Amino acid sequence: MPQQGIGTTDALPGGSEETAGRVPSWDRPESRPSWWSFRAWLRVATGVLLGAVTATVSLGHLVGTLLGHAVPARFPRPRRWLGGLARRLAEYDRRRVERYFGDSPAGVITDARAVGYLAARLPVGVLGGIVLGMMLYGAVVACAVVVGWAIGRPVDGIEATPLIVVYFGVFALVLLFLAVQGVLGVAALDRRLARRFLGPNGREALERRITELATSRAGVVAAVDAERRRIERDLHDGVQQRLVALGMLVGRARRATDPARAAELLRQAHEESGRVIDDLREVAWRVYPTALDNLGLADALARVAEHAGLPVRIEHRLTARPARAVETAAYFVVSEAVTNAAKHSRASRVDVEVAVRDDRLVVTVVDDGVGGADPTGGGLSGLARRVAALDGRLRVASPVGGPTTVVAELPCG
């Protein structure tokens, strides 16, 4: 059974996520990949280029499908072969969209859906090829103009006067902007078509959502049970033992005949009662930090940093308080991750960032330790269940040698 709500990636963010345990994309608003960097845009352009190639292949298949319908019904084998080929082409294209453009949830692909998708995507693929072709042509022309002017040769009889250079420069920038937007637009159309034709239909999405909720509920029950057993263990091994010791000290003080010895035992009993109170406060704090109610997340995280035992930098970027459940989950993610870094990773510092991105509260904890954290371990898997109960997701990247990165995304709404 995949771990609910937790995923591991080789690099965060943007690595390939495990499908297990993440919030299904068919239940989320259409994800918004970050395309505002040259590397990301180059990745999108590569996807558009491959889309133009697959559109050409799809055109050949569609022509074959039309011809296949002319085959008499007593020869069903060619039609089945064409239907299987359409499914394979559609599945390949869905993977292309997922790899280069972002999420593309997989649904049941029938022959009819596959053929419909290939037919609907054909003009989009052609459009992508035209946009990329125009960009390539514009780049060649721009290079020719620049080289011509650089060697002092007029291009098409146009001298490189300052006014002409400015005019061509502004014109080229406008065309470049339009071409970039055209590539992004084609990619967006590709994603919409893949979701519309190849994603799960309403029934499939509902069934998967029910499965997700059932798994999440089981995870919450297991997390609550584990939390209860941990509290019982803390009370039994810590508080109860100290209370026994306190009772013994008081009893010995009552039986003591020497007043000085009785006073010494009472002093020890008084110190022991202070340690009992500290232990009770610690247990109560681990169950629910009251500072969240009184002071808010920022101050509660500041207390985590004070008690971490290693330098912890907290970057709190929230302008408003999130819902209590979200705030509590964010607190426990930071607390558990910092505790793990201090106890197990041999880290020298931890950086924590809490911010809101795309209507989701994102908690990022990075330590410079030796890595090797197990996402299926008790602490991290418990966090994953807690986050998944809120329809969030937890990702852990901890290669051997470090660093370890824990990212929790929680819905704000």
Side-chain angles (χ1 to χ4, degrees):
M1 176 69 70
Q3 189 66 44
Q4 177 69 21
I6 194 169
T8 59
T9 61
D10 295 330
L12 292 174
S16 61
E17 298 175 356
E18 300 288 347
T19 55
R22 66 181 180 181
V23 176
S25 55
W26 54 83
D27 269 343
R28 297 201 306 266
E30 200 166 332
S31 58
R32 304 167 187 170
S34 175
W35 293 344
W36 302 108
S37 69
F38 177 74
R39 186 176 178 181
W41 182 87
L42 191 62
R43 184 183 182 89
V44 173
T46 303
V48 172
L49 177 61
L50 291 177
V53 174
T54 58
T56 306
V57 177
S58 300
L59 176 61
H61 175 270
L62 291 173
V63 172
T65 301
L66 291 175
L67 296 176
H69 278 280
V71 176
R74 65 176 179 275
F75 300 110
R77 191 169 182 178
R79 294 187 177 183
R80 288 201 300 269
W81 184 82
L82 287 171
L85 180 59
R87 291 198 305 274
R88 286 193 291 273
L89 288 175
E91 176 59 23
Y92 171 80
D93 214 65
R94 189 197 64 77
R95 293 181 181 179
R96 175 187 63 85
V97 172
E98 182 178 34
R99 177 172 181 178
Y100 293 98
F101 304 153
D103 285 336
S104 178
V108 177
I109 303 177
T110 62
D111 292 356
R113 294 186 77 187
V115 172
Y117 170 74
L118 295 178
R121 213 197 67 80
L122 182 60
V124 177
V126 173
L127 178 61
I130 292 174
V131 172
L132 290 176
M134 291 178 64
M135 284 193 67
L136 180 61
Y137 176 76
V140 171
V141 171
C143 290
V145 170
V146 171
V147 171
W149 285 347
I151 63 177
R153 181 180 299 172
V155 179
D156 289 339
I158 302 175
E159 296 286 349
T161 64
L163 182 61
I164 290 296
V165 171
V166 172
Y167 172 77
F168 272 89
V170 172
F171 189 66
L173 287 177
V174 171
L175 290 181
L176 179 62
F177 174 78
L178 293 177
V180 169
Q181 293 300 315
V183 171
L184 298 182
V186 170
L189 284 174
D190 248 348
R191 293 180 69 242
R192 287 180 179 274
L193 284 176
R195 294 174 68 89
R196 169 66 179 80
F197 285 91
L198 307 181
N201 56 32
R203 182 181 180 84
E204 292 170 353
L206 184 60
E207 290 176 350
R208 294 183 184 187
R209 182 58 176 160
I210 291 174
T211 303
E212 179 75 15
L213 290 175
T215 306
S216 176
R217 183 187 62 181
V220 170
V221 172
V224 170
D225 186 59
E227 190 73 8
R228 179 185 58 79
R229 284 187 276 109
R230 185 184 63 80
I231 294 172
E232 289 177 352
R233 185 173 61 250
D234 289 345
L235 292 175
H236 180 270
D237 297 342
V239 177
Q240 181 175 325
Q241 299 302 321
R242 291 195 179 280
L243 286 174
V244 171
L246 176 62
M248 294 176 64
L249 286 172
V250 173
R252 290 171 60 190
R254 292 182 58 189
R255 292 190 299 271
T257 56
D258 183 1
R261 176 61 178 165
E264 173 63 18
L265 290 172
L266 286 175
R267 186 190 62 78
Q268 294 179 13
H270 181 263
E271 293 177 353
E272 190 66 21
S273 67
R275 287 190 283 268
V276 171
I277 293 174
D278 289 341
D279 283 356
L280 279 174
R281 285 175 178 166
E282 189 66 25
V283 171
W285 179 268
R286 287 201 293 268
V287 173
Y288 182 80
T290 55
L292 279 177
D293 288 336
N294 302 330
L295 303 175
L297 182 60
D299 290 290
L301 295 183
R303 173 162 177 171
V304 172
E306 291 174 0
H307 292 77
L310 75 170
V312 178
R313 184 179 66 87
I314 304 289
E315 194 168 350
H316 184 272
R317 296 183 176 180
L318 302 185
T319 57
R321 292 192 66 171
R324 177 175 296 183
V326 174
E327 192 176 55
T328 304
Y331 167 82
F332 278 108
V333 167
V334 175
S335 178
E336 183 71 24
V338 170
T339 301
N340 287 343
K343 288 184 176 179
H344 308 299
S345 73
R346 287 180 280 169
S348 61
R349 62 170 294 146
V350 179
D351 293 323
V352 178
E353 182 191 55
V354 181
V356 173
R357 299 191 185 98
D358 296 335
D359 298 328
R360 298 176 77 82
L361 191 149
V362 181
V363 179
T364 306
V365 183
V366 182
D367 70 62
D368 61 351
V370 297
D374 182 10
T376 62
L380 289 176
S381 62
L383 284 183
R385 288 192 292 264
R386 185 186 291 271
V387 171
L390 299 174
D391 271 353
R393 59 178 174 174
L394 183 78
R395 292 179 288 165
V396 178
S398 185
V400 176
T404 296
T405 303
V406 177
V407 179
E409 297 183 14
L410 298 158
C412 291

